[in-house]
Every structure is written in structure tokens, then in C-alpha cells.
Amino acid sequence: MNFLRFFAPVITAIVLFTSLQAHALEAESFTKERFDALQAEGAPILVDIYATWCPTCAKQREVLETYQNENPDSELVILEVDFDDQKEWVKHFKAPRQSTLLLFDGSEQVWFSVAETREDKIFAAIGKLLGQ
């Protein structure tokens, strides 16, 4: 009984803190099949060429998480290309380095960026794609 009385406020604080945390980025691992299917549907797609060790990529990820948190009903699909493990797709997208972002309106590439971390620029490109 004393145990519960002592730890109840701590447990409550942990639960509240956890519920206030931002949600993790909702993204899918890139596959040709998924990319082709999304393009055929005319879906808005963001291809994120990232590396787990890249600080610029981490900042971009924070910006994209913020976008998703502020726009939970967005139709934007994020596909992640691993810079170290998916070299054929890095070359396919002509990414000069990790931290490359590409936006597609179906099969049409409408935006290309390298190392862009400014929230306003990334949000503006996504907004333009989605007609916002």
C-alpha cells in the first residue's frame, strides 16, 4: 500500500510525459514495387535518402516528424532510401549524398533538395505539392 502511494505520482508523471512526446516519423522502407504502385496511384511521395549516422538527416527527420504531427491527415507518403545499403537507388535518384529529399507528384519529380533542414522550406515544398 505504501509502495503504491509513493510510486503513483512517479508513474503518473511518466505516463503524462510519454503521451506528450512527438510521434515517431511514419515512413516506409523504399522498395521499387511500393514506389511504382504509389506513382501509378498518383500519390504524393517524399523520397528521403538518409544515413543513420548523418546529423543533417537527423535534423530533416525532426522536421518531417513535426510536419506529420501538425498534419496528421496528410496523404504524403515518405519512402526512406538507406544511403549505405541501397546504393542502386541512391544512383537512380542522382543523390549526390545522404540528406537528399525528393518530392514526386505521382510519377513527376517536382522538388529536389540536398541538405535542406529549414522547416519553412521543406513545409513550403510539401504544401505546394499538396496544394496547401
Side-chain angles (χ1 to χ4, degrees):
M1 186 104 148
N2 287 337
F3 175 82
L4 285 176
R5 196 174 301 155
F6 178 76
F7 283 104
V10 173
I11 293 169
T12 301
I14 291 170
V15 169
L16 285 173
F17 178 75
T18 303
S19 68
L20 294 175
Q21 298 253 338
H23 300 298
L25 181 66
E26 291 183 32
E28 303 174 35
S29 294
F30 180 92
T31 66
K32 179 182 182 348
E33 297 75 21
R34 180 68 171 139
F35 184 62
D36 289 347
L38 290 167
Q39 286 193 312
E41 294 171 15
I45 308 161
L46 184 141
V47 175
D48 176 10
I49 300 174
Y50 80 101
T52 57
W53 46 264
C54 168
T56 303
C57 301
K59 177 61 179 159
Q60 289 175 330
R61 185 177 192 91
E62 289 175 20
V63 171
L64 295 172
E65 286 174 357
T66 299
Y67 175 80
Q68 286 182 332
N69 289 334
E70 292 179 6
N71 301 278
D73 297 326
S74 175
E75 295 180 9
L76 182 69
V77 178
I78 300 174
L79 298 177
E80 295 179 325
V81 174
D82 186 300
F83 181 79
D84 296 315
D85 295 336
Q86 294 180 294
K87 289 295 188 186
E88 70 277 14
W89 293 109
V90 172
K91 289 177 187 172
H92 172 82
F93 289 115
K94 297 178 173 72
R97 57 179 260 193
Q98 73 285 350
S99 73
T100 299
L101 301 174
L102 303 95
L103 282 172
F104 289 86
D105 185 0
S107 60
E108 181 185 0
Q109 181 181 318
V110 296
W111 188 68
F112 182 94
S113 171
V114 179
E116 180 61 71
T117 59
R118 293 172 293 179
E119 184 176 292
D120 61 324
K121 297 294 183 184
I122 295 172
F123 280 27
I126 294 170
K128 184 175 179 184
L129 171 63
L130 299 176
Q132 298 172 334

